[in-house]
Amino acid sequence: MRDQAFAELRRAALRLLCLSMIACGAQAHGDAPASSRPEAADSPPFWSTLPAIIPGGARAERGKASLVAFNIASTDLQVYNPNQPDSPVKQAQEGKRWLVAPASPDKGGHHWLMARETRGNETVTATTAWTFPAKGDAPTRLLQQSRGGLEITPDRIPEHGGMREGEDWSFHVRFDGMPLAGTTVRFETEAGTRSLVVTDAQGIARVAFPRDINPADIDPQAGATRTRKGFILAAEHQANGMRHLSAFNFYYYPDLMRERSLSGGFGFLALGMLLALPLLRRKETDHA
Amino acid sequence: MPDVLKSLFPTLSRLRFVVQILTLFITVWGSTVVGYYAAEKISTALPSLSCAYDKNNGGYCVLIPLQHQMHHRIGESLVKAQQITQQVVLPTLIALGSFLIFFAILGKAFCGWVCPLGTIQEWINKLGRRFNRPQHQLDNTTAKRARPVKWLILLGLVFLVPILAGMGIAPHSMGNPYCDICPSRIATTLLTGDPEQIALKQTSTGSMILSAIANLLTGFTLIGALAMRQPFCRICPMLAMNATFRHLSLTRLVKIENEKCDKCGICTKACPMDIPEIHHRHGRQAFNEDCTLCGRCAEFCPDDGIIQVKFGPFALFSSRRDYYKNRVKVESPDGMPKPLKFVRKPVSHGDAG
């Protein structure tokens, strides 16, 4: 009777497995979920005077992003996708926002977004990265590619839980594709940190994300994995009588260890080990 | 070429050991070779417990995207009563293909040759044997009683609970329940020096309970493996997933009927999963759901051609009497290594003086 029940259970499992395998698929896990969900239309005043591209405007449908710009007057947004980084798509504003979608539904991944404004002898650039749910090519070539002018690009776009407090991340500062050594980069966070970083000989700015997120700002329901704050890195450069200001804005998350206990974890690990200790006793018995 | 391979890998177990070293590197630290991004991984739907929480891995386990899909696609779609559109089905089928291709080729060998948690348990067991720890084997009844557990974990934690979380019936924090208790997440991330996953989650009561279960299971598995072969594999939902499709795979175990089997039974002693069917059955029934295709039954079968590991029509390894005789000189079927013996070369009387 027990064998019969087990056989029934196995048949049910096979049916459910087949049905769900048809209806689902294997997809990369670890995309920063918050970056694919636009924020509410009425966003508060921006926290920095630096140019930035952030979610805003009316909520877009799944698979699309509604974005607005702050501190930069540009009607066009250049969208670079990882699958064809040499062929950007120019997105025009709809109202005061850009509605951005991948070039095709099955090709998503990490995109690079750039808005540029020229005001007399000054060029202002705002850039950010946006991740669409569908799988796309790795953004390695996308990040290495020069788009002209002053650029700040992260060494890599995070996939495993995002940039976090306490972590060190590297950013490349380049002008017309050439690294800028000894350049001062401004680092500002939504939580209030204001600091300066100087690029090294390879034009790399190494940023240590501060633990500046107010614990009260961490959503008690969602936790540290789904609470984020913005940051901006900005640099200036003079060339050929032009002043260039370029900014890269993105998000960082609270340190996961804020809501985790290492001692508690090791405690339960030790308890599990303790429970297994009787198995190591010298007396040999077979399990009944 | 075959002679070169035979000298390099005198036994199937030696070959599997070398393969396990390579696959452990790839599954735990493989991003140093393949790249950091998901698009660069070997696969995001591997049929083994290669953990996506390990930031350095070379490929993800299929159970993570399955739970993700149950939670975010199926569960939420059931609530919204959405039609499954081309945007869901087409990319889903394309992505699913990679899992099926991997599985169709290697099948259950992902368990015995690739899975990092399986490898870790096996190596810990070897350590336990070297330190002369008593070994525990499950008898036929107990082995069969343990089998439903992996199916319950697969159905419950990989499918049902994430669907319920997507429907809003279970808390959102329960969207990944199997990953939250999986020892491979803790073991592989510890191997990369990342303490985040072993730390106890305190976001919510549910998260804390699951996190505690994970650490308990991991601790039990790490010590239990000293005295028992593959303790976690007995209840692993990936074993159940792989068991579902095992007869579709090109790589499989084949046993032909032999009248001498009744008086033998060495294959079950050699089997790290204590499978009685390899002894008492033949044909498809001998290739049991608990099999990890380690090949030990074929290595320790004392008769020619009775048990084979086959790839399609080709026999990759076949039991042989002379192989068995050499094999048992080094290791007993239940895995106990034989002590090394140093025998002085006898001096012939013609050489004296």
Side-chain angles (χ1 to χ4, degrees):
Chain A
M1 193 168 164
R2 196 175 290 155
D3 288 341
Q4 213 171 350
F6 174 54
E8 280 298 324
L9 180 65
R10 196 165 59 178
R11 273 195 284 274
L14 284 170
R15 273 189 226 118
L16 182 59
L17 184 60
C18 290
L19 279 172
S20 60
M21 294 292 271
I22 290 168
C24 81
Q27 187 172 339
H29 181 80
D31 296 339
S35 67
S36 62
R37 285 198 277 279
E39 291 175 357
D42 299 320
S43 36
F46 196 57
W47 49 269
S48 173
T49 57
L50 292 169
I53 303 167
I54 64 168
R59 190 179 177 89
E61 62 191 72
R62 187 183 175 87
K64 290 185 180 173
S66 176
L67 300 160
V68 297
F70 279 94
N71 304 320
I72 183 171
S74 173
T75 55
D76 292 328
L77 184 71
Q78 299 280 353
V79 181
Y80 295 82
N81 76 74
N83 314 297
Q84 291 172 305
D86 304 320
S87 309
V89 171
K90 193 188 279 187
Q91 194 81 35
Q93 269 188 336
E94 298 176 19
K96 288 189 177 175
R97 68 159 183 181
W98 293 291
L99 198 59
V100 182
S104 70
D106 60 328
K107 286 279 188 183
H110 305 292
H111 285 54
W112 189 257
L113 310 176
M114 184 172 79
R116 191 162 266 172
E117 180 196 2
T118 302
R119 317 163 181 162
N121 61 348
E122 183 184 49
T123 300
V124 178
T125 308
T127 55
T128 190
W130 192 268
T131 303
F132 289 99
K135 201 170 177 179
D137 292 346
T140 314
R141 215 159 44 104
L142 184 70
L143 293 175
Q144 289 169 350
Q145 181 188 23
S146 170
R147 285 161 279 270
L150 183 62
E151 296 180 280
I152 301 175
T153 53
D155 190 47
R156 52 187 184 190
I157 297 172
E159 278 197 348
H160 304 282
M163 298 175 182
R164 293 197 173 272
E165 290 178 310
E167 290 182 350
D168 296 336
W169 284 78
S170 297
F171 298 85
H172 298 263
V173 181
R174 293 185 289 245
F175 182 77
D176 285 344
M178 300 303 292
L180 284 181
T183 301
T184 302
V185 178
R186 288 163 63 183
F187 175 60
E188 297 184 6
T189 73
E190 191 176 346
T193 295
R194 301 288 185 266
S195 64
L196 298 173
V197 182
V198 179
T199 59
D200 63 14
Q202 283 82 40
I204 297 174
R206 289 190 171 78
V207 175
F209 280 84
R211 287 175 62 94
D212 63 355
I213 296 178
N214 188 346
D217 290 341
I218 298 175
D219 187 334
Q221 295 293 324
T225 53
R226 301 183 78 83
T227 299
R228 65 181 190 183
K229 290 289 181 186
F231 75 88
I232 303 179
L233 280 166
E236 291 183 31
H237 182 67
Q238 294 275 355
N240 302 323
M242 281 291 274
R243 177 181 171 266
H244 298 267
L245 168 68
S246 182
F248 168 74
N249 70 281
F250 203 58
Y251 296 93
Y252 69 113
Y253 294 77
D255 183 1
L256 273 183
M257 298 305 283
R258 281 178 180 263
E259 52 185 28
R260 295 185 185 201
S261 166
L262 201 55
S263 54
F266 274 109
F268 276 101
L269 184 81
L271 181 60
M273 290 178 166
L274 214 64
L275 290 171
L277 278 181
L279 292 173
L280 305 187
R281 282 173 56 202
R282 175 61 60 184
K283 187 178 174 184
E284 290 190 26
T285 54
D286 287 339
H287 281 269
Chain B
M1 178 61 78
D3 290 333
V4 171
L5 281 175
K6 279 180 187 171
S7 63
L8 281 173
F9 308 113
T11 64
L12 185 66
S13 291
R14 176 68 61 83
L15 174 64
R16 193 164 70 90
F17 178 69
V18 171
V19 170
Q20 282 179 319
I21 291 174
L22 289 172
T23 51
L24 184 69
F25 174 78
I26 288 169
T27 53
V28 178
W29 298 283
S31 70
T32 52
V33 175
V34 302
Y36 166 81
Y37 296 103
E40 294 168 321
K41 303 297 181 192
I42 294 169
S43 172
T44 54
L46 282 180
S48 71
L49 297 183
S50 174
C51 189
Y53 286 90
D54 167 12
K55 295 170 191 174
N56 299 326
N57 73 43
Y60 298 171
C61 156
V62 70
L63 297 184
I64 266 205
L66 266 185
Q67 290 169 90
H68 180 90
Q69 295 297 327
M70 294 301 112
H71 182 188
H72 295 291
R73 301 289 175 125
I74 293 179
E76 290 177 4
S77 295
L78 285 174
V79 172
K80 293 173 189 172
Q82 284 176 348
Q83 300 294 324
I84 297 175
T85 65
Q86 188 183 10
Q87 289 188 350
V88 173
V89 171
L90 193 58
T92 295
L93 288 177
I94 291 170
L96 193 56
S98 63
F99 165 76
L100 291 175
I101 285 170
F102 272 105
F103 192 80
I105 295 172
L106 283 182
K108 288 280 219 145
F110 269 102
C111 289
W113 293 65
V114 178
C115 180
L117 188 61
T119 299
I120 289 168
Q121 291 172 86
E122 194 169 330
W123 291 358
I124 290 176
N125 187 255
K126 285 187 196 300
L127 200 63
R129 289 175 186 275
R130 285 287 174 193
F131 281 96
N132 204 23
R133 291 297 91 206
Q135 296 297 310
H136 298 267
Q137 280 182 301
L138 298 188
D139 60 27
N140 293 357
T141 308
T142 312
K144 287 181 181 176
R145 271 192 194 151
R147 283 177 189 166
V149 177
K150 61 180 182 292
W151 293 101
L152 286 171
I153 294 176
L154 179 69
L155 280 178
L157 297 186
V158 177
F159 290 104
L160 186 61
V161 174
I163 288 176
L164 294 177
M167 293 171 72
I169 298 170
H172 181 81
S173 59
M174 301 289 276
N176 245 3
Y178 175 69
C179 291
D180 289 339
I181 68 161
C182 181
S184 187
R185 172 174 61 87
I186 293 172
T188 56
T189 53
L190 277 180
L191 282 176
T192 65
D194 179 4
E196 260 182 21
Q197 299 305 320
I198 197 173
L200 188 73
K201 288 182 191 172
Q202 296 174 311
T203 322
S204 64
T205 308
S207 298
M208 197 185 304
I209 291 172
L210 290 178
S211 181
I213 291 173
N215 288 26
L216 280 170
L217 263 179
T218 305
F220 189 92
T221 300
L222 292 177
I223 296 297
L226 287 167
M228 186 179 178
R229 292 184 291 186
Q230 316 303 114
F232 184 78
C233 295
R234 322 263 174 165
I235 60 168
C236 178
M238 185 63 80
L239 187 72
M241 273 275 295
N242 290 348
T244 306
F245 299 102
R246 69 186 185 280
H247 294 303
L248 299 178
S249 171
L250 287 169
T251 309
R252 64 202 191 283
L253 190 77
V254 173
K255 184 189 171 194
I256 64 172
E257 198 171 5
N258 183 14
E259 59 193 14
K260 292 183 191 172
C261 285
D262 286 342
K263 298 189 179 75
C264 181
I266 296 177
C267 47
T268 297
K269 282 197 189 114
C271 178
M273 298 293 285
D274 304 315
I275 299 172
E277 282 85 353
I278 188 63
H279 171 201
H280 298 296
R281 313 281 176 139
H282 58 272
R284 279 168 68 99
Q285 290 181 335
F287 188 21
N288 184 261
E289 65 184 62
D290 281 354
C291 178
T292 60
L293 268 185
C294 66
R296 283 182 62 87
C297 50
E299 281 193 281
F300 285 95
C301 177
D303 280 310
D304 295 341
I306 301 302
I307 303 179
Q308 293 179 329
V309 177
K310 295 184 91 166
F311 181 80
F314 307 108
L316 298 176
F317 185 86
S318 186
S319 61
R320 289 195 327 272
R321 186 155 189 85
D322 54 348
Y323 179 97
Y324 162 76
K325 282 180 177 175
N326 286 327
R327 195 72 179 85
V328 291
K329 287 178 188 170
V330 179
E331 185 182 329
S332 66
D334 62 3
M336 194 61 77
K338 296 278 176 72
L340 294 171
K341 288 180 183 171
F342 295 95
V343 179
R344 194 174 292 176
K345 182 182 171 184
V347 176
S348 67
H349 293 292
D351 293 339

